[in-house]
Amino acid sequence: MPASTRGRKREDLIYVAASELVMYGFKTFDITSVPGITTSDVTALGHIKAEGMAADSTKVYVLRANAPKPPRVSKKSSNQSTGTGTGTTGTPPLTVSTFCAYNKISDAMAAKWTIAKRGRGITFRGEGSSTRQRTVAIPIGGGFYCFSCDRATFATYGSALGLKGTLTETEAKKAFMGASAPKPGTAKAITTTGSVSSMYDPTKKGDLAASEAGWSLTEAILLMAAPTP
């Protein structure tokens, strides 16, 4: 948030489309409280307020994901004054910066918003990549939480942890990374050669807890603020 609009209380949970099926949630203030920013701007940006929103059961709702991430746009308010008196330059306009739905960029630019930062998609490193880490996925919240996993961990414990090494084309459209919610819990265990730690599929909790491996588990973080259909 630019210095010109810092200090405003961010109480509104807003969703914008980060991709075809992933809705990106973030907290912000009512941008229409800034002179020159109207409800038409909100519509142009594709902002949907979570409160009272009818959820689309075909979409995945996430909070503050690293990817996919929608583009960020900015616009100056219209509260600039000319000022009076020698040396007085007047009140400078505020700069409002916020997220824009990935499919609303043309509408935003038509409403005089400027692209400040482009959106970000997911990079999925599969079995064929040359890196030590590979991308794996866990079903959660109607989508698939993706993260980097050591290849040895995946090979040895992937099945017990419920890790998916591949996604179908349909599943990939519901994939996301680094969200604060929903987010799987972690499983840790001591092994004969050291220790192992990874996120795990919530449906595997009972099996892991009963396992002789002695897994120590943390709970998944679910999207408590998710809109209901």
Side-chain angles (χ1 to χ4, degrees):
M1 189 72 64
S4 55
T5 53
R6 284 176 186 165
R8 293 174 182 261
K9 195 170 183 180
R10 292 183 246 181
E11 299 180 306
D12 296 338
L13 174 59
I14 302 296
Y15 284 99
V16 296
S19 66
E20 180 183 351
L21 296 180
V22 177
M23 299 296 290
Y24 179 95
F26 63 102
K27 284 288 191 76
T28 186
F29 66 94
D30 179 7
I31 63 174
T32 63
S33 65
V34 177
I37 309 297
T38 69
T39 54
S40 294
D41 287 290
V42 172
T43 300
L45 295 171
H47 283 198
I48 303 173
K49 195 171 183 178
E51 184 179 357
M53 177 179 72
D56 184 340
S57 60
T58 67
K59 305 258 177 99
V60 181
Y61 294 84
V62 302
L63 295 182
R64 305 295 298 185
N66 290 333
K69 198 165 190 173
R72 181 174 278 279
V73 295
S74 64
K75 185 178 185 179
K76 288 186 177 181
S77 68
S78 61
N79 69 333
Q80 186 172 22
S81 63
T82 57
T84 58
T86 303
T88 302
T89 59
T91 303
L94 297 176
T95 297
V96 177
S97 176
T98 188
F99 290 105
C100 170
Y102 83 100
N103 56 350
K104 289 283 190 176
I105 294 176
S106 295
D107 292 345
M109 293 179 71
K112 308 304 181 183
W113 290 84
T114 301
I115 301 242
K117 192 172 184 179
R118 297 196 176 277
R120 181 190 308 148
I122 285 182
T123 299
F124 198 97
R125 294 183 175 85
E127 180 60 35
S129 70
S130 59
T131 61
R132 176 183 172 184
Q133 302 278 319
R134 61 166 299 169
T135 307
V136 297
I138 291 175
I140 189 171
F144 296 87
Y145 187 103
C146 297
F147 63 101
S148 292
C149 177
D150 183 83
R151 290 179 182 275
T153 298
F154 177 74
T156 306
Y157 303 101
S159 179
L161 295 167
L163 307 183
K164 291 175 64 69
T166 60
L167 294 176
T168 66
E169 183 177 349
T170 299
E171 290 172 338
K173 291 181 179 180
K174 294 185 175 183
F176 58 96
M177 290 179 162
S180 58
K183 182 177 183 179
T186 57
K188 297 180 181 180
I190 303 299
T191 69
T192 56
T193 57
S195 63
V196 60
S197 177
S198 172
M199 293 183 183
Y200 69 95
D201 183 340
T203 65
K204 295 289 187 178
K205 180 180 177 181
D207 293 339
L208 291 170
S211 170
E212 294 182 357
W215 293 97
S216 174
L217 307 175
T218 65
E219 296 289 338
I221 301 173
L222 301 179
L223 190 56
M224 303 305 293
T228 55

